[in-house]
Every structure is written in C-alpha cells, then in structure tokens.
Amino acid sequence: MAADERDEQYLLRVQDKALAERLTRLLRDDPAQRPSDAEIELNFEGDHSGTLTVGGDVFPMHIKNLPTLVESYKTYDDVHIVKSNDIGQMVVVGPPGAQTPPGDEARDGVTPAMRNARARHFRPPVDVPPNVVAQVEADLLTVLNGGAPDDVEFVDVEEEYVVDENGHGSWQPALPVAKVPVPRGGGKKKPGPKKQGGGQAGKKREPGPRSKKAKAAAAAATAAAPAATTAAPAAPPPPAP
C-alpha cells in the first residue's frame, strides 16, 4: 500500500446467503487473479444508504450504527495480532429490491451476545438540572475544606465486629477503653538502699564455693614453693672504746 493511501475497512452483513458465499470466495482469492467482471465496488448515495456492485450485479445497502465500537485486528502468521482499526458502523447488504430496514442503528450488534445490548447493558443518560450539579459541587468543596453542608452533621462512630456464643457476628459500637493515668515524671521517687560493690543493695557479698576452692589452691601452692632466702650483709662491729 502506498504512503498516500489509507487502509479502509468495512464490516459487511449480507442477508443473501448466495451473495455472502460469493463475496467470501472473491475476497480470499488473489486480486491479481480475480476476473475483471468480479470487481467489488461500494457507492454511497447518502449518510445511511448506497449500493454494492459485485461483477455488474447491484445490491442495496444501508449503513447502521453499532451500539458499541468493534475492534479489528490483523495477523500475518496466525500467532501475533495487531489492532488495526475501530469500527462503529456496519454495512447491511440486502437482496435486489429489498426495503430499507427501519432505524439507523443495528440494535443487536454483530454477535449474539450483543442482542439488544443498549437496553440490557447501557442505562439511559441521567438528566440532572444544572443547579443541582452546582449545589453538589459546592457541598463537596465544603467537605474537602473540613466543613459540613447545610443541615448536615458528621458523627464519628467506632464499631467492632462481635461474635456471640451462637457464632453469629455483627457490627456493634465499640466500648470505651478505660484509661489508666500514667505519671509523666512529676511524682517523687522513693530512695532505695544503696548498692555496695555492685551487688544487691544492703547486703555484703559472700564468697561462693568456687572462690573458697580457689583460695585453698592458692594457699597450697604458696606452702609448697621453696622460700627465697636473701643474706643480708653483717653490720660492722662497734668501735672499741
């Protein structure tokens, strides 16, 4: 396709079965091998009407609006698909001399799942007066600023989920929790007994069994060691009178 050409896609619904098979066969064939008398041409005569020409045969067609957009995809290897377009209208082709279907919308869409979809899935638009919209906007701004609309009072309610003895649960107002006053450093602290030697306060630490054994072993080692004797120099005798 040249750069200046645009890819046009049409969704056809053919009411004549023979024409549908003929179109399917022609569209699947190679355009280069298509016979000259089998050209397919769409001619629009207005916003919602026209003719479809297939090999010299003319069929009436009508353009119907779909209740929702239909996405079309392309693939070259039956694995990777790429979205190519959004289709919002369908071309309904009838047999020669067929009457124009009433209405400008295909109310049943393309597939059976969309049968009467607008009435079943899409609710009608809500008609709200402009003054009501302005009042709601003003009330929302008041709430966002920490206030309340006129004649409205906000009450905070704390609830908890309670299960009774029969296993039935329900939301009930939460019971207030009793608060115990805690001193914040303003009271006086009673003086306790002084600690001695890092032990318990007011008690003298006695040596344990391990300390007594250590002392006995040290005393035995001292007694077994030879006494070191140092001879001191003798004092000179006193001078004769």
Side-chain angles (χ1 to χ4, degrees), residues 10-210:
Y10 296 92
L11 181 61
L12 297 178
R13 169 161 288 180
V14 182
Q15 298 177 346
D16 188 356
K17 184 177 181 180
L19 177 60
E21 295 176 353
R22 181 181 177 185
L23 287 173
T24 302
R25 184 171 58 255
L26 292 175
L27 292 175
R28 288 181 178 178
D29 293 340
D30 187 0
Q33 300 178 359
R34 186 180 303 167
S36 59
D37 58 346
E39 293 295 330
I40 302 174
E41 184 179 358
L42 288 172
N43 297 316
F44 296 93
E45 300 175 355
D47 294 337
H48 294 278
S49 62
T51 58
L52 171 67
T53 304
V54 181
D57 299 329
V58 181
F59 302 90
M61 69 176 187
H62 309 280
I63 292 86
K64 299 288 185 180
N65 298 326
L66 294 174
T68 184
L69 291 178
V70 176
E71 298 179 350
S72 61
Y73 292 82
K74 288 184 177 181
T75 180
Y76 297 98
D77 54 5
D78 293 334
V79 176
H80 302 87
I81 58 176
V82 179
K83 180 181 177 181
S84 57
N85 211 335
D86 287 327
I87 302 176
Q89 291 181 323
M90 177 173 60
V91 179
V92 180
V93 181
Q99 298 293 329
T100 303
D104 296 333
E105 183 181 45
R107 53 177 297 182
D108 295 333
V110 179
T111 60
M114 293 296 293
R115 183 177 298 276
N116 198 15
R118 187 174 298 278
R120 293 189 299 112
H121 297 286
F122 306 112
R123 63 181 182 180
V126 181
D127 186 12
V128 181
N131 59 335
V132 176
V133 176
Q135 182 62 40
V136 172
E137 182 181 4
D139 294 342
L140 288 176
L141 292 176
T142 302
V143 173
L144 293 176
N145 292 329
D150 297 339
D151 301 332
V152 175
E153 181 181 1
F154 293 145
V155 179
D156 293 334
V157 178
E158 184 177 357
E159 295 182 341
E160 59 182 357
Y161 193 77
V162 180
V163 180
D164 57 13
E165 56 185 7
N166 297 325
H168 300 149
S170 62
W171 288 97
Q172 299 181 8
L175 299 177
V177 180
K179 296 183 180 181
V180 180
V182 179
R184 298 176 178 268
K188 295 182 179 181
K189 185 178 180 181
K190 295 183 179 180
K194 296 182 179 181
K195 296 182 180 180
Q196 299 179 0
Q200 296 181 358
K203 293 184 179 181
K204 186 177 180 181
R205 186 175 182 181
E206 298 292 339
R210 184 175 299 177

